[in-house]
Amino acid sequence: DTKIIGVAVSDSAQGEDIEVAIGGSIQVKVSDTDTVTPGDILTSGSEAGKAQSDPTPKTGAVLGKATSQKNANNLVWLLITLE
């Protein structure tokens, strides 16, 4: 998705407000099949609500850079650098 404005940090029922991070460092979910290492560029993923590693991202789709490897819960620390 090239229309990213931030990273949702809370779930929401339909019609409720959600919190969106536009800077800083947060944990994000990634696909259980995606290999992520520190320094990888993360973009919006093909699975809803998950980021993915992308070595050649489209402008507007970049969430930021991974600052950790994926853990057992498929979470990665992300330094948000929206592009």
Side-chain angles (χ1 to χ4, degrees):
D1 185 359
T2 58
K3 297 179 181 180
I4 294 171
I5 61 163
V7 181
V9 294
S10 64
D11 290 330
S12 173
Q14 191 173 18
E16 292 181 11
D17 293 338
I18 60 168
E19 296 177 28
V20 176
I22 58 172
S25 184
I26 63 169
Q27 281 190 305
V28 295
K29 293 179 186 177
V30 294
S31 170
D32 58 347
T33 59
D34 198 6
T35 302
V36 178
T37 58
D40 285 355
I41 295 172
L42 298 180
T43 64
S44 58
S46 56
E47 293 181 57
K50 295 183 180 180
Q52 69 183 23
S53 179
D54 188 344
T56 56
K58 294 179 182 178
T59 300
V62 174
L63 300 173
K65 286 197 173 187
T67 59
S68 71
Q69 292 183 333
K70 178 174 68 174
N71 68 20
N73 296 318
N74 296 325
L75 294 172
V76 173
W77 279 99
L78 168 74
L79 176 61
I80 299 172
T81 56
L82 301 173
E83 292 180 26

